[in-house]
């Protein structure tokens, strides 16, 4: 297969970039008064304005050709069909099956997984209703008042993001906490004011071997039993979400209290699986199903819409353009919606664990940049923090602004002011302020360079009606598929994560060395750190 950087569309994009990169967004807008209306998409309840990217119709046409030459359509069909596109792990990638309607059918290894998915969803819903209604009681007969989700990575970030995002719809008389970090503080602070008699732990781990989660779960069990004294209490206060039934039983959780899922659900793509149990407990089965329907709407849009009208395809290809041709190294995700405060953290795993790869599917080292760094904070807080660098620093940062027309908590003029900031920031980034404009304001000459804004900084504005469960589903699926699109172009496996293994293995080796007196067997720096730590702990 022709390497990516030698495909004709890539070469044409490089040439096109060289010919057009001197053109400022100011000029592009001046040359085409309709640009702000044209370079937009409105589909599946999401409006995307990508006109403030440094692109022309020709750029978009060439990006479409590149997608075609990388067989985006074929790879998408393969994913939806259940082919084992996670090649290095020999697995299908079927998070889309988790939100397929009951009437759909996707067969993997001879099994209709959609029927299984709905069977599990029904069980989850039944359990959630029992807990929410108080029918499920703890060991001493009291209803559950607090749910603590124990998990890490995809078994935490999706659930905590969704809980925060949908807090408006949650059962307010129940408390939800999320424990992920091995740092004991996380569990101690999360349980400090909880009553063991009314607390339910959800131990979420696809593998049920993850050190952090297993350690936290064991300490949570100790916390419970220190108060309830009877090991039989575990059955009423612990449920597990996992693909590893044997390990769940070994831990002491009743298999009847286990919610399974499948190896074709990647950790970072699992929030619509049983890993979303905390979400369902918080918002109830109907809202959870509405969220799934939102995901499915975006899945179907991605599967069926032509390239030029396809939101994830366009968003993904714009990222490729900004990263590989304009040199952007990071993407700032800027939700102008307080409920999405954990969305950037969630996206970090989704995007960077997926596309932080340096070899293609066949193991060849890439000679182009792959996944950019994703980061962000809710607006307007970021404006008073890091936006300075985005506006006037030396780096090119692609910004995704996320906003909703309707506030969930209308309060005076707050929402109009919030939205004016979204539009203002995107405008300022694109158009800046010239030295002539600054001078014309009477600015002293020595201050003119400091007050000049170069502009020409790319951004996307993603606008939706209202943050509902369905809207959240659409938004997350938009990014999931955009990440997939980028991975297809880069020719990488977006669904494995071998890069997390080395550190895990070394930590397993170092842990006993911290307690031993023997000379550690690492490099001189690691050895010295271990010895110093032992000394600091009086060992
Ligand atoms: O960090 C690596 C990773 O495997 C993630 O991909 C995953 O989401 C996380 O660990 C947690 O894994 P598990 O759900 O198996 O505990």
């Amino acid at each position: 297969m022709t390497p990516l950087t030698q495909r004709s569309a890539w070469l044409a994009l490089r040439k096109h970039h060289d010919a057009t990169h001197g053109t400022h967004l100011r000029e592009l807008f001046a040359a085409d008064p309709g640009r702000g209306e044209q370079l937009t998409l409105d589909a599946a309840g999401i409006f995307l304005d990508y006109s403030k990217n440094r692109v022309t119709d020709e750029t978009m046409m060439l990006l479409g050709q590149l997608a075609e030459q990388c067989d985006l359509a074929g790879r998408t069909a393969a994913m939806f069909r259940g082919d084992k596109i996670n090649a290095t792990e020999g697995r299908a990638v079927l998070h889309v099956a988790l939100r397929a309607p009951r009437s759909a059918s996707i067969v993997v290894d001879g099994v209709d997984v959609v029927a299984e998915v709905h069977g599990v969803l029904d069980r989850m819903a039944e359990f959630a209703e029992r807990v929410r209604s108080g029918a499920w009681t703890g060991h001493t007969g009291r209803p559950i008042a607090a749910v603590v989700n124990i998990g890490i990575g995809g078994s935490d970030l999706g659930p905590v993001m969704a809980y925060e995002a949908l807090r408006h719809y949650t059962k307010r008389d129940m408390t939800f906490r999320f424990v992920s970090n091995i740092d004991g503080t996380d569990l101690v602070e999360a349980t400090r004011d909880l009553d063991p008699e009314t607390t339910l732990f959800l131990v979420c781990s696809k593998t049920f071997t993850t050190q952090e989660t297993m350690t936290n779960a064991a300490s949570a069990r100790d916390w419970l039993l220190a108060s309830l004294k009877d090991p039989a209490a575990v059955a009423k206060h612990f449920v597990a979400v996992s693909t590893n039934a044997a390990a769940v039983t070994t831990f002491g959780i009743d298999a009847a209290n286990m919610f399974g899922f499948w190896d074709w659900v990647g950790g970072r793509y699992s929030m619509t699986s049983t890993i979303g149990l905390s979400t369902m407990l918080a918002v109830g089965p109907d809202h959870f199903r509405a969220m799934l329907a939102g995901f499915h709407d975006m899945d179907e849009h991605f599967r069926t819409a032509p390239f030029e009208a396809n939101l994830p395809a366009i968003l993904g290809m714009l990222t490729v353009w900004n990263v590989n041709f304009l040199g952007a190294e990071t993407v700032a995700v800027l939700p102008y919606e307080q409920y999405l405060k954990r969305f950037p953290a969630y996206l970090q795993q989704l995007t960077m664990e997926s596309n932080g790869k340096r070899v293609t599917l066949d193991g060849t080292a890439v000679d182009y940049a792959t996944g950019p760094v994703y980061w962000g904070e809710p607006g307007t807080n970021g404006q008073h923090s890091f936006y300075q660098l985005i506006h006037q620093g030396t780096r090119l940062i692609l910004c995704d602004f996320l906003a909703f027309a309707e506030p969930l908590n209308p309060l005076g003029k707050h929402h109009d002011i919030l939205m004016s900031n979204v539009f203002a920031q995107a405008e300022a980034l694109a158009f800046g302020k010239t030295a002539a404009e600054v001078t014309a304001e009477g600015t002293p000459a020595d201050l003119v360079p400091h007050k000049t804004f170069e502009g020409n900084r790319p951004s996307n504005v993603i606008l939706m009606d209202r943050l509902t469960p369905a809207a959240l589903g659409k938004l997350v699926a938009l990014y999931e598929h955009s990440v997939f699109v980028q991975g297809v172009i880069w020719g990488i496996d977006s669904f494995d994560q071998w890069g997390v293994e080395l550190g895990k293995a070394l930590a397993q080796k170092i842990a006993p060395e911290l307690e031993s007196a023997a000379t550690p067997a690492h490099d001189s720096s690691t050895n010295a750190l271990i010895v110093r730590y032992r000394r600091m702990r009086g060992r």
Side-chain angles (χ1 to χ4, degrees):
M1 206 206 288
T2 316
L4 176 61
T5 51
Q6 283 162 40
R7 291 192 197 145
S8 60
W10 184 280
L11 294 170
L13 276 162
R14 176 82 38 240
K15 223 166 133 186
H16 167 71
H17 168 261
D18 293 347
T20 59
H21 83 277
T23 312
H24 196 287
L25 278 168
R26 278 195 288 263
E27 296 165 79
L28 292 175
F29 272 85
D32 177 7
R35 182 181 172 92
E37 302 265 326
Q38 277 152 20
L39 297 188
T40 63
L41 287 179
D42 195 352
I46 295 191
F47 177 76
L48 167 68
D49 175 359
Y50 62 95
S51 64
K52 296 190 185 83
N53 276 272
R54 293 190 212 160
V55 294
T56 62
D57 289 344
E58 192 185 354
T59 325
M60 299 313 293
M61 188 264 294
L62 291 172
L63 287 172
Q65 282 180 11
L66 183 64
E68 208 177 309
Q69 289 177 14
C70 295
D71 193 24
L72 175 59
R75 302 284 298 159
T76 304
M79 176 170 75
F80 277 84
R81 211 168 39 225
D83 289 7
K84 299 197 167 151
I85 62 165
N86 178 359
T88 71
E89 294 181 337
R91 288 177 182 162
V93 174
L94 268 179
H95 41 281
V96 293
L98 299 169
R99 46 271 188 150
R102 227 176 261 276
S103 54
S105 163
I106 301 174
V107 177
V108 180
D109 295 333
V111 177
D112 183 355
V113 299
V114 178
E116 288 197 356
V117 163
H118 281 275
V120 173
L121 268 174
D122 291 344
R123 249 190 88 215
M124 265 171 89
E126 197 241 339
F127 173 73
E129 292 291 22
R130 287 181 67 202
V131 174
R132 287 164 60 86
S133 68
W136 174 287
T137 52
H139 188 60
T140 57
R142 292 173 61 193
I144 299 301
V147 172
V148 181
N149 190 89
I150 300 180
I152 198 164
S155 300
D156 167 72
L157 288 161
V160 69
M161 180 278 289
Y163 171 71
E164 292 296 345
L166 300 180
R167 194 181 260 257
H168 187 75
Y169 305 90
T170 56
K171 190 164 158 44
R172 300 287 188 160
D173 58 358
M174 280 180 78
T175 298
F176 288 82
R177 302 267 164 82
F178 297 83
V179 174
S180 53
N181 200 334
I182 188 67
D183 185 336
T185 298
D186 206 7
L187 181 68
V188 169
E189 285 294 343
T191 50
R192 164 159 252 121
D193 57 348
L194 300 185
D195 181 347
E197 288 187 43
T198 56
T199 299
L200 177 69
F201 290 96
L202 312 180
V203 185
C204 291
S205 174
K206 182 176 170 183
T207 54
F208 229 72
T209 57
T210 303
Q211 188 187 42
E212 293 90 336
T213 302
M214 291 304 100
T215 310
N216 277 323
S219 298
R221 188 179 47 195
D222 292 347
W223 175 84
L224 184 89
L225 295 182
S227 158
L228 300 187
K229 312 287 185 214
D230 181 359
V234 172
K236 296 301 242 165
H237 294 267
F238 274 79
V239 304
V241 178
S242 186
T243 57
N244 187 348
V248 167
T249 319
T250 308
F251 179 86
I253 296 178
D254 190 341
N257 297 342
M258 171 180 157
F259 295 89
F261 59 112
W262 304 268
D263 76 348
W264 40 262
V265 183
R268 53 196 176 273
Y269 296 87
S270 66
M271 61 173 277
T272 48
S273 72
T274 45
I275 290 288
L277 184 58
S278 58
T279 316
M280 195 192 263
L281 283 164
V283 302
D286 290 348
H287 284 316
F288 191 82
R289 287 186 197 280
M291 181 183 80
L292 296 185
F295 270 94
H296 180 66
D297 283 352
M298 183 54 67
D299 294 341
E300 280 304 282
H301 165 75
F302 177 54
R303 191 176 67 81
T304 58
F307 175 82
E308 61 284 358
N310 193 309
L311 281 162
I314 294 296
L315 196 64
M317 294 310 292
L318 286 168
T319 310
V320 169
W321 169 249
N322 278 288
V323 166
N324 296 112
F325 297 92
L326 301 183
E329 290 185 336
T330 81
V331 180
V333 184
L334 308 164
Y336 279 68
E337 168 54 68
Q338 184 64 19
Y339 285 124
L340 288 185
K341 67 180 181 190
R342 294 289 287 162
F343 194 67
Y346 164 77
L347 267 194
Q348 285 187 319
Q349 186 199 13
L350 179 69
T351 58
M352 297 202 273
E353 205 171 66
S354 295
N355 286 341
K357 311 288 162 66
R358 56 172 289 281
V359 296
T360 58
L361 279 161
D362 65 6
T364 311
V366 299
D367 58 355
Y368 43 85
T370 60
V373 174
Y374 276 76
W375 57 289
E377 273 290 313
T380 55
N381 301 10
Q383 291 173 208
H384 296 272
S385 163
F386 51 77
Y387 276 42
Q388 164 66 39
L389 185 148
I390 307 181
H391 281 288
Q392 287 189 317
T394 54
R395 294 166 200 284
L396 184 80
I397 295 168
L398 172 61
C399 295
D400 283 359
F401 292 100
L402 313 178
F404 296 84
E406 292 285 339
L408 289 176
N409 296 298
L411 184 64
K413 292 188 183 308
H414 284 242
H415 199 66
D416 282 352
I417 297 173
L418 177 74
M419 294 302 290
S420 68
N421 275 279
V422 182
F423 303 144
Q425 290 297 328
E427 183 180 2
L429 286 169
F431 302 103
K433 195 169 182 185
T434 63
E437 286 165 345
V438 176
T439 306
E441 286 174 349
T443 307
D446 58 337
L447 279 184
V448 169
H450 299 281
K451 294 189 149 197
T452 299
F453 289 71
E454 192 186 24
N456 211 21
R457 307 200 173 210
S459 69
N460 294 305
V461 176
I462 293 171
L463 193 56
M464 302 180 78
D465 282 336
R466 186 179 161 86
L467 179 51
T468 59
L472 179 69
K474 290 171 189 201
L475 186 64
V476 174
L478 167 66
Y479 276 97
E480 285 178 345
H481 297 316
S482 161
V483 166
F484 171 74
V485 169
Q486 296 163 47
V488 166
I489 302 306
W490 294 323
I492 56 182
D493 188 333
S494 297
F495 302 101
D496 62 12
Q497 56 283 318
W498 299 106
V500 302
E501 297 301 330
L502 178 59
K504 278 189 199 172
L506 286 172
Q508 301 268 18
K509 185 166 175 232
I510 291 173
E513 291 176 327
L514 298 180
E515 291 183 308
S516 127
T519 308
H522 302 267
D523 60 277
S524 62
S525 162
T526 310
N527 286 348
L529 287 166
I530 291 170
V531 170
R532 179 172 289 268
Y533 173 75
R534 285 176 184 163
R535 212 168 41 235
M536 291 166 86
R537 295 297 307 269
R539 290 177 191 162

